[in-house]
């Protein structure tokens, strides 16, 4: 299979989605769309120019843009609203968590809102407190939203295609530090179903459940530990809602040790929820306590050494794996 | 036009404008050298707005600013060395390295909170003004933000409350989009605001609103001192839109210095690259102010050159100080979460 860069796979998905479905509209900065401040951002422009009627730049109005996406979805379109930095989705919180998430349920199943909100989450290096959020756990507290966290070129393409095709509001949490990752991507119209975890690396000694960029970081750690004879299995849920818990649990039952790595805060984060479910369903299988590697429970400091200190770093992942094996 | 101030005051404005310009140019250099990471915004091109505007305030007044804050802090008298240390994430920075360029803050100078969320401070400014009014302290609040902030719902909601409750707040909107990228050439028009001119928005909430040339220090000083007077008299909120022409070095997402500023450029632009000559000739607020000082016989070219030289030395010392300041102890990352 050919190998391409993550950002190329993402752009390819957008191109194919626009070509295949006239209902898809992209609400995004037409000069940088979906790639934030990355050096590759200019590559989006060609797509915007090709579809001037369906790719449109909003003013700095996250609440109105997200709300517009929801309303347009109710009325038959398939809008993708690019909020850029995940921290800015808080500006749109009332529309996302209180309108989109509730619409289908409180209408008794009458109203569908198949909108996609796209954000770039996580620590990006110097983003400080207001540009570094990972809101996936907060969003998980709003039942009704599908939550997607791609981690590889193949996944970003296949999951983005599924995101615009499901009938539910979906939050697509991408990570700018993934853009340069290269990997195999099939040339066909692959759609990766939601609720299907992926074993990114097979191993027998310990399970690492990781999301988004933390999958790549965990794979790096796993490769390094392999030289010491530690065989790590890396499992990527890919979507939190719906969640393929069976695959996660099967891996934990096999290795009987688990470390969970995610960029949310420790308290009430994604790792906290997964740890609770594993404890409920697989407590008797565990040979060691569940370990979590997350962003520490503080706002994000600007200074780089401090940011690294509070982040789920390779060092902390390594340390947690060793602790789980003790 | 020169502000109606005495010589000493005018030379002080000149010094502060140079301080901002040379600070920011040095900062851009430090970024290209990889001395700090992340996105950042400089105040070049807006010096003649921030400096005269903030000179109209009292020492106890409150201020709020945004991602484009360096110039506001320097205009208000912040120490360039500690400011730079903050932007480089060092221990001696004003925020102990926790804030960085987005959030530099000096509470001793009246700044409460520097938010990089566009429009994040507009509601807060109303709150500080409400408190000052409740305490009958006579303090006013100045809320500094860009033209883009008006696109957020936080702006009109806050204008409504400030107007209804006659809050002592000055909204100083710095429209740096004149002739800029994405804007209609030749028009002072934001491509993304249906309310045009921008003053239409506050005016809809019955907030007295005016436009002023942000490159003209005298015009800014006149408008702001008048507005401040009215606010202190209890007339409620005021809105000023200061228009500047975007500095060509800020056209892309990462600033670049097309030509290092030197007072000599005020009279001889031969060193300026052709593509950006027009800006340095027509729209550079620092060079414009310097020319006015000489034409108005406030100072000679040599005297202004000496001011600039002193500022250069001061900035060089600031760089030395900031680079010598260590990174904070790692454990400090866990402190300051709660008061
Ligand atoms: C809520 C929010 N949305 C988007 C951004 C990204 N952003 C940073 S600066 C900026 C432009 C702001 O324009 P303006 O208010 O005119 O300020 P300027 O940078 O021109 O001084 C944007 C959109 C942000 N920081 N916050
Ligand atoms: Mg602006």
């Amino acid at each position: 299979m050919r190998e391409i860069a993550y950002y190329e796979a993402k752009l390819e998905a957008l191109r194919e989605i626009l070509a295949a479905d006239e209902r898809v509209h992209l609400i995004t900065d037409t000069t940088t769309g979906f790639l934030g401040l990355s050096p590759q951002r200019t590559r989006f422009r060609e797509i915007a120019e090709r579809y001037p009627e369906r790719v449109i730049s909003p003013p700095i109005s996250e609440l109105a843009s997200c709300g517009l996406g929801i309303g347009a979805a109710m009325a038959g379109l398939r809008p993708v609203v690019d909020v850029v930095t995940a921290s800015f989705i808080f500006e749109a919180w009332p529309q996302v968590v209180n309108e989109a998430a509730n619409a289908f349920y409180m209408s008794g199943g009458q109203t569908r809102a198949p909108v996609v909100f796209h954000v770039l989450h996580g620590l990006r290096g110097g983003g400080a407190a207001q540009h570094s959020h990972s809101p996936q756990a907060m969003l998980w507290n709003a039942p009704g939203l599908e939550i997607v966290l791609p981690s590889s070129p193949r996944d970003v393409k296949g999951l983005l295609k599924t995101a615009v095709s499901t009938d539910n509001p979906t939050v697509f949490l991408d990570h700018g530090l993934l853009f340069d990752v290269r990997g195999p991507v099939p040339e066909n119209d692959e759609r990766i179903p939601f609720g299907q975890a992926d074993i990114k690396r097979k191993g027998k000694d310990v399970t690492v459940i990781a999301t988004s960029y933390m999958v790549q970081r965990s794979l790096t750690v796993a490769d390094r530990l392999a030289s010491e004879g530690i065989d790590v299995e890396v499992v990527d849920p890919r979507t939190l809602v719906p969640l393929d818990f069976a695959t996660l649990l099967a891996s934990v039952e096999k290795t009987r040790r688990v470390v969970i790595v995610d960029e949310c805060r420790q308290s009430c984060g994604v790792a906290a929820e997964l740890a609770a479910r594993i404890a409920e369903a697989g407590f008797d299988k565990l040979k060691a306590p569940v370990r979590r590697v997350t962003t520490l429970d503080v706002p994000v400091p600007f200074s780089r050494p401090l940011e690294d200190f509070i982040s789920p770093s390779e060092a902390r992942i390594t340390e947690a794996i060793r602790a789980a094996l003790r | 036009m020169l502000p109606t101030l005495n010589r000493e005051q005018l030379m002080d404005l000149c010094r502060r404008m140079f301080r901002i310009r040379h600070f920011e140019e040095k900062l851009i250099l430090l970024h290209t050298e990889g001395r700090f990471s992340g996105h950042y915004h400089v105040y070049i091109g807006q010096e003649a707005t921030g400096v005269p505007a903030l000179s109209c305030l009292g020492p106890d007044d409150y201020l709020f600013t945004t991602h484009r804050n360096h110039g506001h802090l320097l205009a208000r008298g912040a120490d360039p060395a500690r400011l730079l240390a903050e932007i480089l994430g060092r221990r001696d920075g004003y925020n102990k390295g926790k804030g960085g360029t987005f959030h530099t803050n000096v509470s001793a100078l009246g700044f409460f909170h520097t938010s990089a969320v566009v429009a994040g401070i507009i509601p807060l400014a109303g709150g500080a003004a409400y408190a000052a009014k409740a305490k009958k302290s006579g303090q006013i609040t100045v809320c500094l933000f860009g033209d883009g902030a008006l696109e957020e719902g936080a702006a009109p909601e806050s204008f409504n409350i400030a107007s209804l409750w006659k809050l002592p707040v000055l909204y100083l909107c710095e429209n740096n989009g004149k002739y800029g990228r994405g804007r209609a050439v030749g028009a002072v028009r934001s491509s993304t605001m249906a309310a045009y001119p921008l003053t239409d928005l506050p005016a809809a909430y019955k907030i007295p609103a005016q436009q002023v040339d942000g490159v003209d220090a005298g015009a800014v000083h006149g408008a702001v001192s008048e507005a401040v007077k009215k606010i202190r008299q209890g007339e409620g909120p005021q809105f000023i839109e200061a228009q500047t022409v975007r500095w060509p070095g800020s056209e892309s997402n990462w600033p670049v210095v097309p030509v290092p500023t030197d007072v000599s450029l005020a009279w001889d632009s031969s060193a300026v690259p052709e593509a950006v000559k027009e800006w340095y000739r027509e729209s550079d607020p620092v060079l414009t102010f310097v020319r006015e000082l000489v034409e108005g016989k406030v100072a000679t070219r040599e005297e202004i050159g000496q001011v600039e030289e002193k500022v250069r030395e001061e900035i060089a010392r600031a760089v030395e100080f900031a680079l010598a300041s260590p990174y904070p102890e790692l454990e400090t990352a866990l402190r300051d979460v709660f008061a």
Side-chain angles (χ1 to χ4, degrees):
Chain A
M1 205 183 294
R2 69 183 175 148
E3 287 213 346
I4 57 173
Y6 188 99
Y7 79 92
E8 287 173 327
K10 190 175 184 183
L11 289 172
E12 204 170 87
L14 290 168
R15 234 178 263 126
E16 290 174 15
I17 289 164
L18 281 163
D21 189 343
E22 285 202 341
R23 298 170 305 166
V24 174
H25 284 236
L26 310 181
I27 317 270
T28 182
D29 185 324
T30 51
T31 61
T32 65
F34 298 88
L35 297 173
L37 284 170
S38 68
Q40 303 92 350
R41 65 182 181 278
T42 51
R43 294 281 310 279
F44 179 75
R45 195 180 301 220
E46 160 259 316
I47 296 179
E49 280 165 5
R50 189 133 158 231
Y51 298 96
E53 318 236 295
R54 292 200 279 139
V55 183
I56 180 164
S57 274
I60 315 171
S61 307
E62 292 82 5
L63 179 131
S65 305
C66 288
L68 179 135
I70 300 163
M74 289 172 170
L77 294 186
R78 296 268 158 170
V80 184
V81 185
D82 178 16
V83 186
V84 197
T85 304
S87 301
F88 306 155
I89 202 170
F90 300 141
E91 309 303 299
W93 215 238
Q95 295 290 316
V96 174
V97 309
N98 213 2
E99 309 296 349
N102 289 333
F104 189 67
Y105 188 83
M106 72 188 194
S107 70
Q110 297 176 81
T111 302
R112 279 155 218 258
V115 58
V116 179
F117 307 109
H118 168 272
V119 302
L120 297 173
H121 82 96
L123 301 162
R124 64 187 200 187
Q130 291 186 319
H131 285 72
S132 306
H133 286 95
S134 288
Q136 50 266 39
M138 294 187 205
L139 293 159
W140 205 350
N141 250 287
L145 299 174
E146 293 174 327
I147 302 174
V148 189
L149 289 154
S151 72
S152 72
R154 183 173 190 161
D155 288 354
V156 75
K157 186 173 178 195
L159 290 169
L160 198 47
K161 289 200 163 180
T162 305
V164 293
S165 68
T166 71
D167 276 343
N168 300 302
T170 303
V171 188
F172 197 90
L173 295 120
D174 204 349
H175 201 302
L177 296 182
L178 287 167
F179 291 170
D180 280 331
V181 170
R182 293 184 71 83
V185 180
E187 266 160 282
N188 64 15
D189 182 33
E190 180 179 65
R191 283 149 205 256
I192 296 175
F194 286 1
Q196 211 174 82
D198 186 36
I199 298 179
K200 288 282 190 296
R201 184 185 199 283
K202 271 203 176 310
K204 59 178 186 350
D205 295 333
V206 54
T207 297
V208 170
I209 301 173
T211 65
S212 183
Y213 181 54
M214 293 302 110
V215 172
Q216 296 297 336
R217 198 171 270 176
S218 300
L219 288 170
T220 305
V221 170
D223 283 345
R224 201 172 301 139
L225 289 175
S227 65
E228 295 178 23
I230 299 171
D231 193 13
V232 179
E233 176 145 301
V234 178
V235 188
D236 174 4
R238 299 199 287 201
T239 58
L240 296 177
V241 182
L243 180 68
D244 175 8
F245 186 62
T247 299
L248 308 188
L249 190 64
S251 173
V252 174
E253 285 178 343
K254 181 178 80 177
T255 65
R256 308 186 68 177
R257 300 168 193 275
V258 63
V259 173
I260 310 168
V261 192
D262 177 84
E263 272 194 78
C264 285
R265 292 312 188 308
Q266 182 105 336
S267 300
C268 305
V270 165
E273 174 60 25
L274 294 178
R277 292 196 196 193
I278 290 165
E280 279 170 350
F283 186 73
D284 54 332
K285 305 286 189 318
L286 289 170
K287 277 201 199 153
V290 180
R291 305 272 164 181
R292 287 179 285 165
V293 185
T294 65
T295 303
L296 301 184
D297 281 351
V298 296
V300 175
F302 169 78
S303 186
R304 278 310 288 276
L306 302 194
E307 182 188 314
D308 292 343
F309 178 68
I310 68 147
S311 78
S313 58
E314 287 179 18
R316 287 180 54 218
I317 297 169
T318 309
E319 199 180 300
I321 291 172
R322 290 192 201 286
L325 284 165
R326 244 174 252 139
Chain B
M1 174 174 83
L2 285 173
T4 38
L5 293 168
N6 65 33
R7 179 178 191 276
E8 197 188 328
Q9 291 166 321
L10 290 171
M11 292 309 279
D12 186 50
L13 297 190
C14 176
R15 187 173 309 114
R16 285 172 201 247
M17 287 192 206
F18 272 131
R19 198 176 278 151
I20 294 172
R21 177 64 58 92
H22 287 297
F23 181 93
E24 299 285 43
E25 288 185 354
K26 201 52 118 204
L27 186 67
I28 294 168
L29 190 71
L30 290 168
H31 190 268
T32 48
E33 288 172 7
R35 303 284 190 167
F36 66 105
S37 54
H39 199 215
Y40 70 111
H41 306 78
V42 295
Y43 197 67
I44 296 176
Q46 299 172 221
E47 294 93 339
T49 298
V51 171
L54 299 198
S55 78
C56 301
L57 302 179
D60 296 330
D61 288 332
Y62 297 145
L63 300 98
F64 288 89
T65 173
T66 65
H67 59 284
R68 206 175 289 283
N69 57 65
H70 310 162
H72 299 145
L73 290 157
L74 290 171
R76 183 82 174 156
D79 174 1
R82 293 198 59 200
L83 186 64
L84 189 57
E86 182 56 39
I87 298 168
L88 301 191
R90 306 303 176 101
R91 193 186 65 189
D92 297 297
Y94 275 116
N95 314 31
K96 306 175 199 164
K98 293 218 167 82
T101 169
F102 283 153
H103 310 300
T104 57
N105 191 51
V106 189
S107 61
L109 296 175
F111 292 90
F112 279 114
H113 180 76
T114 302
S115 176
V117 174
V118 169
I121 55 163
I122 301 183
L124 309 183
Y130 178 91
K133 191 174 177 181
K135 292 192 279 188
K136 300 191 172 52
S137 67
Q139 293 157 293
I140 69 162
T141 299
V142 178
C143 185
L144 299 145
F145 52 86
D147 47 299
L150 298 177
E151 296 163 20
E152 292 280 1
E157 290 186 33
S158 302
F159 294 163
N160 188 30
I161 290 182
S163 185
L164 287 171
W165 298 350
K166 277 201 177 308
L167 300 178
V169 55
L170 170 63
Y171 296 112
L172 181 52
C173 173
E174 295 185 66
N175 181 356
N176 54 5
K178 198 175 173 184
Y179 313 138
R181 193 168 66 97
R183 319 278 159 165
V185 173
V188 188
R189 171 158 210 161
S190 165
S191 61
T192 43
M193 261 306 270
Y196 169 77
L198 300 181
T199 45
D200 278 1
L201 186 68
Y205 294 92
K206 312 297 178 206
I207 295 177
Q210 57 174 310
Q211 294 178 310
V212 62
D213 180 357
V215 181
D216 183 340
V220 171
H221 188 267
V224 173
S225 53
E226 198 54 36
V228 165
K229 199 161 87 194
K230 287 184 181 154
I231 297 168
R232 288 208 204 281
Q233 283 165 356
E235 290 185 28
Q238 299 274 328
F239 181 101
I240 295 172
E241 174 197 346
Q243 299 165 343
T244 53
V245 182
R246 201 170 189 82
W247 175 54
S250 274
E251 293 276 296
S252 82
N253 263 316
W254 305 96
V256 279
V257 180
V259 55
T261 297
D262 184 276
V263 65
S264 65
L265 298 180
W267 297 280
D268 175 8
S269 60
S270 55
V272 182
E274 206 51 48
V276 298
K277 229 177 198 114
E278 191 184 334
W279 189 88
Y280 280 88
R281 273 205 191 132
E282 319 272 330
S283 307
D284 183 330
V286 179
L287 298 182
T288 302
F289 188 66
V290 159
R291 273 193 298 268
E292 287 173 351
L293 286 176
V294 172
E295 281 156 21
K297 305 225 183 312
V298 177
T300 63
R301 293 184 188 192
E302 292 67 36
E303 285 168 328
I304 293 168
Q306 283 158 14
V307 170
E308 187 183 36
E309 205 38 50
K310 282 233 170 68
V311 167
R312 274 214 184 88
E313 288 162 14
E314 181 190 30
I315 299 300
R317 283 196 303 274
V319 172
E320 224 171 280
F321 172 87
L323 289 175
S325 174
Y327 285 107
E329 296 288 331
L330 296 181
E331 289 70 29
T332 63
L334 308 178
R335 290 186 220 136
D336 292 329
V337 181
F338 295 101

